Amino acid sequence: MNVLTDNFSTFGDGFLGTVELTVYASVLALVLGFLMASFRVAPVGSLRVFGTVWVTVLRNTPLTLLFFAVLLGLPRFGLVLPFKVFAVLALGCYSSAFICEALRSGINTVPRGQGEAARSLGMSFGQSLSLVVLPQAFRSVIPPVGSTLIALAKNSAIAGAFSVTELLGTYRTLSELGYNIVWTFVWIAVGYLIITLAISALFNVLERKWGVAR
C-alpha cells in the first residue's frame, strides 16, 4: 500500500489527467462520429466520399502514428497548442471513425420507410435524419458506442509518451524514485479499471433506459 499512499498525489494527477483526456476526446469523437455518419448516408456524393475517406484512413492508421502526425506535424504548419489539446484531437478523431461506423450500422437497421415518411411530410434530409432516423438508430448502437469509448479511455495511455499527464505515465516517476514497479502497475491498472467500469455502468444505464429489447 505504501506505493499508493506515499504517492497519492502523483497517482491522483495521472488519474485526473486520464479522465480529462477521456471526457474531452469522447465528446469530440461523438460529435465527429455523428457528423461523419451523416455524411456517409447523405444524398450528396461529395459528402459520402469525404466520410468514407475519413473512416477508411483513420481506421487503418495506427493510433501511435496519428499521435506523431498531430503532435509533431501540426506545429510545422503554424498550429501550436498545448500537448493535451493535440492528444484530445488525436484520440477524438481516431475514435470518431469507429463511432461513425457504429452509428451507420444503426442507421441501416431503421426501416427505409421511416425516412421516406419524414420526407413526405416536408422534412429536409437533415431534419429526417436528426429527428426520426438517428433517435431510433441510437437505441441499437448503445453497446458498441460504449465499447468504443472504453477503448478510447485505454488508448489515452499513449498520450503519456508525448509529455501529457495521464495515469500510465506515473510509472516513470515512481520507477525513478525506486518504488516497486510491479505494485506501481497494479495501482495503475486499478485506476484504469475504475474509469472503464464507470463508462460501462453509464452505458448499462442508458441501455436499460433506451436500448432495444432483445
Side-chain angles (χ1 to χ4, degrees):
M1 286 294 293
N2 67 306
V3 175
L4 177 64
T5 56
D6 293 349
N7 303 280
F8 192 79
S9 61
T10 301
F11 279 112
D13 291 341
F15 181 83
L16 292 177
T18 295
V19 170
E20 285 184 14
L21 284 174
T22 301
V23 171
Y24 294 146
S26 294
V27 171
L28 179 61
L30 289 170
V31 171
L32 289 177
F34 167 81
L35 186 62
M36 292 303 133
S38 301
F39 283 3
R40 295 210 66 186
V41 298
V44 181
S46 58
L47 293 180
R48 291 198 303 273
V49 170
F50 183 86
T52 300
V53 170
W54 178 277
V55 170
T56 301
V57 170
L58 290 177
R59 288 184 72 189
N60 294 285
T61 300
L63 181 55
T64 304
L65 180 59
L66 186 60
F67 263 86
F68 275 111
V70 172
L71 275 79
L72 302 180
L74 292 182
R76 293 179 177 270
F77 295 95
L79 185 58
V80 180
L81 296 170
F83 273 15
K84 179 171 285 188
V85 176
F86 282 134
V88 168
L89 287 174
L91 282 168
C93 290
Y94 178 79
S95 300
S96 71
F98 297 91
I99 296 290
C100 169
E101 288 302 275
L103 287 174
R104 191 169 70 93
S105 67
I107 290 173
N108 290 335
T109 65
V110 179
R112 187 183 297 272
Q114 296 284 329
E116 293 175 349
R119 287 191 291 275
S120 70
L121 294 175
M123 291 186 180
S124 64
F125 169 76
Q127 289 174 323
S128 64
L129 184 67
S130 60
L131 299 177
V132 178
V133 178
L134 278 176
Q136 298 181 68
F138 174 74
R139 298 178 62 198
S140 65
V141 301
I142 293 174
V145 168
S147 298
T148 300
L149 297 186
I150 288 173
L152 185 155
K154 294 183 288 186
N155 287 338
S156 67
I158 297 176
F162 297 90
S163 302
V164 177
T165 301
E166 52 78 43
L167 190 55
L168 183 61
T170 59
Y171 88 90
R172 288 191 295 271
T173 301
L174 301 186
S175 178
E176 291 171 358
L177 294 174
Y179 285 94
N180 188 304
I181 194 66
V182 173
W183 281 106
T184 298
F185 279 117
V186 166
W187 290 115
I188 288 173
V190 170
Y192 278 108
L193 186 63
I194 292 172
I195 294 171
T196 55
L197 286 179
I199 297 173
S200 179
L202 172 62
F203 277 84
N204 283 338
V205 171
L206 293 177
E207 188 174 10
R208 285 197 299 270
K209 188 172 183 180
W210 289 307
V212 176
R214 302 191 185 275

